[in-house]
Amino acid sequence: MIVRQPFAAVTGSALALALGACAASETGGPESSAAAPDFVARCAALQGRTDDMFGTVESAALGPAEFTGQQFFLPTPIALPRHCEIIGAFPSRDGAQGQKYAIRYHLRLPEGWNGRFLFQGGGGLNGVLGDAMGWTGAGQQPGIVQGYAVVSQDSGHDKQANSDPDWGGEAVFGSDPEARRNYGNGALPVVADAAKTLIRAFYGSDARYSYFFGCSKGGQEGMAFAQRYPDTFDGIVAIAPGMSLPRAAVAQTWDVQSFARLWDPAKGALTPASFATLFSPSDFDLVRQAVGAACDGLDGADDGLIGNFMQCTSARVLSELRKRECGAGNSGACLATDKVDALNRSLEGPHDAQGKPIYASWRWDMGIGSPGWAMWKLGNPQMPSLNILTGGASLPTVFMTPPRAVRGDPQSLLDFQMAFKFPQDADAIYATAPGWPRSAWQDVGMRSADLDGFRKHGGKLIVPHGVSDPVFSINDTIAWRDDVDSRYHGDADSTVRVFPVPGMNHCGGGPATGRYDAFAALVNWVEKGNAPQAIVATAGADTPWPGRTRPLCAYPKMVRYRGAGSIEQAENFECVDS
């Protein structure tokens, strides 16, 4: 475990001594970095510096002039401002299964700094350093281009170096108690403090405002900061937050078993490839027809989006699905009854022995069966189900205590999920054991309604979430927001706003107006006090209606057509009580 002084306790003189400047003597005596006029030299002077607060600066040099890597719907290359690019690491240690672990981070410090700091969240099982570009949504300019100092981090393990085929492949870190804690939340304050320390030393002042932006596991990290490290950030965007990750992994296994009921054992053993064939695209066309017939018009417009999704109940949808079942007077395309039952079982989610949900149920929505939904729930001809690949690896190795060794190939992961016993095996996500003083839920679960510290700090939290998210249920996010509202006697909105995105899959995709600037709304809220009532969103080129706009309404408001004007324009819709 890394032990450091609290960030606020480190003095300016201590920083100057620790970081030095561009002209250190041969004996290592540094000069003040603030006195060094040359940006490149000041950057290079950080190379090799070591301190309890930021570990060791492994490299510090002028960053590239353009970015050509993976990005979010922007023309490439992306021109970058002149900036200092830093790779840092904290001391490594020996861990379980012969693995070595260390927390590493990636920091970019622009010459034209805007006085703000942005922490870029991770994703999945993490284990990658991240590009520290400061992505803030589809089509939005990255934070580094906007002048933010940006950091990303690997959460204490490297998925390339830390991999063991007998322990879920890259999930092997879950077999080490400290590595699991660092993944869940422990690495977050370490990296945030490191970045803030280097920012103060490099620029001679603290950031005026500090922000976090992330989706999925990155959203879970945002929740961790708000709940456990509430003084770290002024504002957080946590999209589709995996705040209930261990429970969601159990739900992934429930999904696998629910759909596997459709497999005919006479055809042989179930494989990941055959699992992907259990529903066809035409099956999902019929599902969406039924969902649309039941719920599309509830918002006043038949437009392929279910704006009033809270009124789209299972009773409404199942009535329409039953009309499309084979043998219900249908002579053409139809749905097998067992497929309707399997889908409904999946969306109901698993329950414990007392009938209480282990995770959450899911919404009926127009994104069900879309490519971004199906790749998780079932897979496709090119790739096995992500519920198998990620859920099958993470549940036994990361989220159960003690961890179970399961081979990381897709068939072994599927076999583990099929052998999982409901509901009793789910108790392991709350268990402790010798050498494991904390459960996976304590390490990784970030679903507390206690935002006392964050509210006292004056922090603001924006939580967009796709209604057709196949990984983390919007019902869980809404229930959490309702818990927050209850805790603060109807005053959740002064701190947190949840923005459902009808049709959107996990972090993006799906038939949705899924391009929006939640980060700009957050900055406006934090710095100007303008709390967002709605965020205008645009449909991308991969949707049936490129360029369509809609207001994303802050829950519990729902979007409704005003009754006149083009249904392609946001101004013809309003946010109303559902």
Side-chain angles (χ1 to χ4, degrees):
M1 180 179 295
I2 295 172
V3 179
R4 305 159 1 270
Q5 286 180 281
F7 171 68
V10 181
T11 66
S13 59
L15 286 168
L17 181 63
L19 296 181
C22 60
S25 69
E26 291 183 359
T27 59
E31 296 179 1
S32 170
S33 62
D38 182 77
F39 181 82
V40 178
R42 284 194 294 123
C43 176
L46 296 173
Q47 175 85 31
R49 298 294 177 179
T50 299
D51 185 89
D52 287 346
M53 290 299 295
F54 56 78
T56 298
V57 176
E58 295 180 335
S59 65
L62 197 65
E66 60 183 27
F67 179 82
T68 58
Q70 183 179 2
Q71 52 78 44
F72 296 90
F73 306 107
L74 290 172
T76 54
I78 299 171
L80 301 181
R82 193 158 82 146
H83 67 280
C84 179
E85 184 175 19
I86 295 168
I87 305 295
F90 287 87
S92 65
R93 63 175 183 84
D94 295 328
Q97 321 308 327
Q99 302 289 322
K100 283 188 175 294
Y101 294 104
I103 297 172
R104 302 182 72 241
Y105 60 90
H106 187 182
L107 178 65
R108 296 184 193 267
L109 304 174
E111 185 174 32
W113 184 43
N114 66 8
R116 296 168 176 85
F117 166 49
L118 175 59
F119 193 122
Q120 175 179 308
L125 292 177
N126 282 0
V128 294
L129 195 55
D131 56 34
M133 287 289 289
W135 304 108
T136 59
Q140 309 303 323
Q141 287 294 326
I144 184 66
V145 173
Q146 298 180 48
Y148 286 82
V150 182
V151 75
S152 59
Q153 53 97 34
D154 65 5
S155 78
H157 66 275
D158 182 329
K159 74 175 185 178
Q160 299 298 324
N162 302 129
S163 183
D164 186 331
D166 291 329
W167 280 89
E170 65 186 71
V172 66
F173 73 88
S175 68
D176 182 90
E178 185 172 347
R180 184 175 78 179
R181 189 186 74 85
N182 283 336
Y183 167 75
N185 71 93
L188 298 175
V190 174
V191 172
D193 287 353
K196 289 186 175 185
T197 301
L198 288 167
I199 287 169
R200 176 190 287 176
F202 192 73
Y203 294 115
S205 65
D206 294 329
R208 291 184 291 119
Y209 296 100
S210 294
Y211 296 100
F212 179 94
F213 187 98
C215 185
S216 190
K217 176 57 172 68
Q220 179 265 359
E221 293 163 5
M223 290 293 194
F225 275 119
Q227 296 168 24
R228 301 199 185 184
Y229 313 104
D231 295 331
T232 308
F233 294 106
D234 302 300
I236 294 169
V237 174
I239 304 173
M243 58 186 174
S244 302
L245 258 168
R247 294 175 181 171
V250 173
Q252 288 180 306
T253 293
W254 175 263
D255 278 348
V256 168
Q257 292 188 12
S258 295
F259 291 124
R261 292 181 169 201
L262 299 173
W263 179 248
D264 181 0
K267 296 180 179 179
L270 179 66
T271 67
S274 57
F275 186 82
T277 68
L278 296 177
F279 268 80
S280 68
S282 60
D283 288 332
F284 283 127
D285 286 342
L286 290 171
V287 170
R288 285 189 293 272
Q289 288 177 20
V291 174
C295 302
D296 192 0
L298 295 175
D299 57 7
D302 289 314
D303 55 0
L305 289 169
I306 301 175
N308 195 351
F309 65 90
M310 292 296 288
Q311 299 299 319
C312 189
T313 63
S314 291
R316 289 179 185 270
V317 175
L318 286 172
S319 175
E320 291 292 336
L321 284 170
R322 297 304 181 195
K323 296 175 184 178
R324 291 162 176 78
E325 287 182 349
C326 302
N330 294 312
S331 57
C334 60
L335 280 167
T337 298
D338 59 352
K339 292 189 177 184
V340 174
D341 293 341
L343 180 58
N344 186 54
R345 185 177 190 268
S346 166
L347 297 185
E348 287 179 341
H351 293 71
D352 64 19
Q354 288 72 45
K356 180 181 177 181
I358 293 174
Y359 176 48
S361 61
W362 308 76
R363 304 307 311 185
W364 292 98
D365 194 46
M366 296 301 287
I368 290 176
S370 61
W373 187 95
M375 68 183 285
W376 282 92
K377 299 289 190 179
L378 291 154
N380 56 49
Q382 290 73 43
M383 183 174 66
S385 161
L386 290 178
N387 275 1
I388 296 173
L389 296 181
T390 63
S394 63
L395 179 56
T397 306
V398 183
F399 300 136
M400 297 176 75
T401 303
R404 281 71 163 164
V406 176
R407 288 193 58 81
D409 62 280
Q411 187 63 55
S412 295
L413 300 178
L414 174 59
D415 292 343
F416 162 80
Q417 290 178 308
M418 292 301 297
F420 191 87
K421 295 181 176 61
F422 283 97
Q424 59 267 36
D425 286 355
D427 292 342
I429 66 175
Y430 305 109
T432 59
W436 295 85
R438 300 173 310 275
S439 69
W441 183 253
Q442 290 171 309
D443 279 342
V444 190
M446 298 295 155
R447 201 192 174 283
S448 173
D450 184 351
L451 298 179
D452 291 1
F454 195 59
R455 287 166 66 90
K456 182 178 179 180
H457 178 65
K460 306 301 180 187
L461 174 60
I462 288 179
V463 186
H465 200 148
V467 180
S468 289
D469 190 326
V471 191
F472 302 128
S473 173
I474 192 168
N475 285 350
D476 190 42
T477 295
I478 286 173
W480 168 81
R481 185 267 178 198
D482 288 344
D483 290 343
V484 173
D485 203 45
S486 295
R487 181 181 179 89
Y488 299 111
H489 310 289
D491 190 39
D493 281 356
S494 66
T495 302
V496 58
R497 301 284 172 103
V498 171
F499 290 92
V501 187
M504 192 173 82
N505 298 151
H506 187 53
C507 295
T513 52
R515 299 189 183 186
Y516 51 89
D517 197 346
F519 188 66
L522 177 72
V523 171
N524 196 32
W525 191 7
V526 168
E527 299 184 17
K528 297 181 180 179
N530 297 325
Q533 306 300 321
I535 299 174
V536 175
T538 304
D542 57 342
T543 70
W545 346 268
R548 170 184 284 185
T549 57
R550 282 288 184 280
L552 305 179
C553 301
Y555 173 85
K557 300 287 188 181
M558 297 283 130
V559 67
R560 182 168 182 82
Y561 180 49
R562 294 180 185 273
S566 171
I567 62 171
E568 305 305 319
Q569 302 300 320
E571 60 262 30
N572 298 317
F573 291 78
E574 59 185 337
C575 296
V576 300
D577 293 330
S578 61

